[in-house]
Amino acid sequence: MALENEKELQQLKNRFRDLAEKSFQQNVFTFTGFLGLSEQDIFWQMEPQLRFAGCVTEGGVEGADRVMVRFGKPEELGYDVPFPIVCVHIKPLAVKFADKLSHRDFLGALMNLGIERSTIGDIKVGDKEAYLFCQESIAEYICRNLEQIKHTHVKCELVEHMEEVPIEEPQSLTVQVSSARVDAVIAKVYNKSRSDCLELFRTGKVYIDGRLCENNSRQLKVGESVNARGYGKFIFAGEPRETRKGKLSLNILLFG
């Protein structure tokens, strides 16, 4: 869900407050749907006001771009409840005749089923197949009704053990920059001009650890995840090293 107007923004804030209050007052766990980056940013802005209820995030896989929020404190409730997230394996009936399918192809086919975007998390696309993280309540419907993507006939199966889901291996690369400013690092990682990067900040498309970043000169910290919408995602991994020419050498983990 893109937050396009003040009404949608207020509805989202009210939803967070209602879920936190319900959890706190009724001693139960409550969950949001899957949140996109703009929605996560609103949550993190409100998190100091919501932490009385206890809140954690989860996307079904480490480093997920889309996550759910759970309200509730296990230590106070005396029990724990897992996130209602499952994984669906989508694969062609006949690999030989299958199209090469993109993330957009999989998402478009799912949206054509008439389901809410908030029920769908990350889609990890592989070679003519994908692993879809979704809410448990919608998984059976997807498995029963998703039969074709573009010209490719597919079948869907619920993944019984999350260990079966392939782990995305990031590309490791080294970039040299004058400083660890986020705009400088984005420019180097994606081989873009500084003006192109500034446009990303101007249009609100840079997120660090799920939070909107409007300060292009912000210094990145080791371990932080940067999502530049339209370009991709990377993690600043490892302490920077100074080169003989006085620049910083940064280790970057780049995700497809």
Side-chain angles (χ1 to χ4, degrees):
M1 162 180 161
L3 301 177
E4 298 178 352
N5 55 52
E6 188 64 31
K7 182 179 179 180
E8 289 182 346
L9 175 61
Q10 194 57 52
Q11 288 175 340
L12 180 63
K13 289 181 176 180
N14 291 341
R15 178 63 172 160
F16 288 148
R17 292 191 189 97
D18 290 345
L19 289 171
E21 288 287 349
K22 180 179 179 180
S23 173
F24 184 75
Q25 294 178 3
Q26 300 182 18
N27 293 319
V28 295
F29 289 103
T30 57
F31 299 87
T32 67
F34 282 100
L35 306 175
L37 289 171
S38 59
E39 296 163 311
Q40 289 175 50
D41 179 60
I42 299 303
F43 164 73
W44 287 117
Q45 290 180 37
M46 295 183 64
E47 191 270 341
Q49 309 165 35
L50 303 172
R51 64 178 58 157
F52 70 90
C55 39
V56 293
T57 61
E58 174 61 55
V61 63
E62 185 176 357
D65 290 330
R66 293 177 61 79
V67 300
M68 298 173 69
V69 178
R70 184 186 74 174
F71 295 98
K73 298 180 179 179
E75 64 276 13
E76 293 185 6
L77 295 177
Y79 67 101
D80 202 355
V81 171
F83 279 77
I85 299 174
V86 296
C87 183
V88 175
H89 185 195
I90 307 171
K91 54 187 177 182
L93 289 176
V95 176
K96 181 178 179 180
F97 303 105
D99 295 320
K100 183 174 178 59
L101 301 172
S102 67
H103 183 280
R104 179 174 294 184
D105 295 327
F106 284 100
L107 180 59
L110 289 161
M111 292 295 92
N112 286 337
L113 296 180
I115 58 182
E116 295 290 332
R117 183 69 175 96
S118 61
T119 64
I120 296 175
D122 282 13
I123 305 172
K124 300 297 184 183
V125 179
D127 184 16
K128 300 182 179 181
E129 65 177 3
Y131 288 86
L132 163 70
F133 293 88
C134 64
Q135 290 188 22
E136 187 175 19
S137 58
I138 203 69
E140 183 180 346
Y141 179 82
I142 292 173
C143 289
R144 190 169 62 246
N145 292 280
L146 184 60
E147 299 178 337
Q148 186 171 339
I149 303 175
K150 293 183 69 175
H151 301 101
T152 301
H153 292 278
V154 300
K155 62 179 178 180
C156 302
E157 296 177 343
L158 198 63
V159 175
E160 294 186 6
H161 305 288
M162 287 296 189
E163 295 80 10
E164 300 173 16
V165 181
I167 298 175
E168 181 181 3
E169 294 293 341
Q171 176 188 354
S172 180
L173 64 136
T174 300
V175 298
Q176 293 184 2
V177 291
S178 55
S179 75
R181 286 173 50 132
V182 61
D183 58 353
V185 179
I186 290 176
K188 277 291 186 179
V189 170
Y190 297 110
N191 194 28
K192 299 295 180 181
S193 68
R194 186 65 67 87
S195 61
D196 285 340
C197 292
L198 290 178
E199 181 67 11
L200 287 174
F201 289 91
R202 189 187 68 80
T203 53
K205 293 183 178 179
V206 177
Y207 292 82
I208 299 178
D209 287 346
R211 299 162 175 82
L212 179 65
C213 178
E214 297 178 296
N215 179 11
N216 63 290
S217 63
R218 181 190 184 285
Q219 295 287 314
L220 280 178
K221 300 174 184 177
V222 175
E224 288 186 322
S225 171
V226 177
N227 194 311
R229 297 177 69 172
Y231 291 119
K233 173 182 174 181
F234 65 84
I235 294 175
F236 175 19
E239 292 293 336
R241 302 176 302 280
E242 187 171 339
T243 68
R244 293 180 179 178
K245 295 184 178 181
K247 288 197 171 185
L248 291 180
S249 179
L250 310 182
N251 183 26
I252 299 296
L253 297 179
L254 180 64
F255 293 84

